[in-house]
Amino acid sequence: TSFLPTALTAPFEELKANSEKQINNLTPTHINNSTPQPINFIDQKYLIDSLGLDSNFGTFLISVFKFDEIKQILDDYLLGMTKDGSVIYWYIDIEERIRSGKIMQYDPQTGKRVKNTSAPISWVHTLLKKQGKLDNDWEFSRCLFGEHLLEKYPQKDVMLFEGEKTAVICSMYFPENICLATGGSEMLSKSVCEALRARKVLVIADCDKVIEWKQKTMEINHSLGLNLKPYDKLNQLLTDEQKEMKWDLADYFLKGTI
């Protein structure tokens, strides 16, 4: 059963079909064979089978954004869904290899992540290993969420966030930029930032990690010669209560809609 209004079901089915065509073009044709550590990736069939917005996060997006905006989100981020209504954030690298998918559950009304439930954060590769569909020695090699968009939009500047949800939502407010995410405050590292060479990048931490990320950004710039610029004005936009709630930039833009 779809969460979508009947009038929108057909357009979204067409949108999914178009996204599947796009996925069929995701072939690692320009892999750097000099990479010292082999990169494991997942068959695209799992992504294609999951495509859609019948997730609680998809329901929230539909309540906030217009159809054309939702279409852009699905075209760019290729969001997936599970039977229990969780969203799958697919991690696809700049060489168009599907590294894995992060599975998370949200409240469909508020868009907030559901914590301390029977559905904690999981990963597609973990489930596939349990099902015997991946070898036990298969290891996840992390990349940035949305990293494949660097190849899709070579002229755009980049905004780098902590959370996948923040990147997805902020992409609607900053269409002239590529919105990426590290997948967590501890995931900002030299290895995941390698893909950002020759790009202008604005690094935007959640309000409680601004100082920590500013320091990390300086270290990465020094080590790799990147052009990462930390944004440290978020806390000036927030009230004390919002800071206590650890708001991010997406929370700030959505404050009038939830």
Side-chain angles (χ1 to χ4, degrees):
T1 301
S2 174
F3 287 110
L4 299 174
T6 303
L8 289 182
T9 301
F12 273 101
E13 287 300 320
E14 180 181 351
L15 175 57
K16 178 177 178 180
N18 290 337
S19 295
E20 289 180 4
K21 292 179 182 178
Q22 178 181 340
I23 285 301
N24 288 331
N25 292 325
L26 284 181
T27 54
T29 57
H30 48 284
I31 295 175
N32 181 359
N33 291 324
S34 65
T35 303
Q37 186 69 25
I39 302 297
N40 292 315
F41 54 94
I42 290 175
D43 194 302
Q44 66 183 25
K45 68 180 180 181
Y46 297 110
L47 188 155
I48 292 173
D49 289 345
S50 78
L51 279 174
L53 290 168
D54 280 356
S55 66
N56 289 330
F57 182 54
T59 301
F60 173 73
L61 291 176
I62 292 167
S63 73
V64 174
F65 298 110
K66 299 176 182 178
F67 176 78
D68 287 346
E69 294 171 323
I70 296 292
K71 179 181 183 300
Q72 190 63 53
I73 288 174
L74 195 56
D75 278 349
D76 281 347
Y77 294 101
L78 303 165
L79 299 180
M81 57 190 181
T82 66
K83 292 180 179 179
D84 71 347
S86 295
V87 67
I88 304 177
Y89 294 118
W90 288 102
Y91 276 65
I92 306 170
D93 67 25
I94 195 171
E95 295 179 351
E96 299 177 340
R97 297 168 294 190
I98 303 170
R99 300 285 187 94
S100 190
K102 190 177 183 180
I103 303 170
M104 301 177 71
Q105 185 62 274
Y106 289 87
D107 183 298
Q109 277 73 48
T110 66
K112 297 291 186 181
R113 185 162 69 86
V114 177
K115 302 178 181 179
N116 301 322
T117 70
S118 58
I121 295 174
S122 186
W123 288 87
V124 170
H125 68 272
T126 301
L127 300 180
L128 292 178
K129 289 173 76 170
K130 289 181 179 179
Q131 296 168 8
K133 296 178 181 179
L134 289 178
D135 294 337
N136 287 330
D137 59 355
W138 193 102
E139 293 186 3
F140 173 47
S141 299
R142 182 174 289 278
C143 66
L144 295 171
F145 171 70
E147 186 178 301
H148 63 288
L149 298 177
L150 295 169
E151 181 73 13
K152 184 176 182 180
Y153 303 114
Q155 303 303 319
K156 287 188 176 184
D157 292 339
V158 177
M159 300 177 77
L160 181 60
F161 300 92
E162 287 188 36
E164 299 90 350
K165 184 192 88 169
T166 307
V168 169
I169 291 173
C170 284
S171 71
M172 293 294 94
Y173 296 96
F174 301 97
E176 70 280 6
N177 293 286
I178 303 171
C179 293
L180 310 181
T182 62
S185 62
E186 303 303 318
M187 303 306 170
L188 179 62
S189 67
K190 291 187 291 184
S191 61
V192 299
C193 288
E194 285 279 358
L196 299 175
R197 291 185 181 276
R199 304 300 282 258
K200 293 180 180 179
V201 184
L202 187 63
V203 180
I204 307 174
D206 293 358
C207 67
D208 61 324
K209 296 293 182 179
V210 171
I211 296 176
E212 179 181 331
W213 267 38
K214 184 175 183 179
Q215 180 62 37
K216 281 188 176 182
T217 297
M218 293 172 59
E219 293 172 358
I220 292 170
N221 281 340
H222 179 74
S223 178
L224 299 181
L226 301 186
N227 188 14
L228 310 183
K229 181 180 179 180
Y231 178 77
D232 55 7
K233 302 293 193 297
L234 178 59
N235 283 329
Q236 297 177 22
L237 303 175
L238 305 178
T239 65
D240 289 341
E241 181 181 2
Q242 291 164 350
K243 294 175 188 176
E244 184 68 25
M245 296 170 65
K246 300 181 180 180
W247 273 27
D248 56 32
L249 194 59
D251 294 319
Y252 175 77
F253 282 117
L254 290 172
K255 63 182 179 181
T257 63
I258 58 176

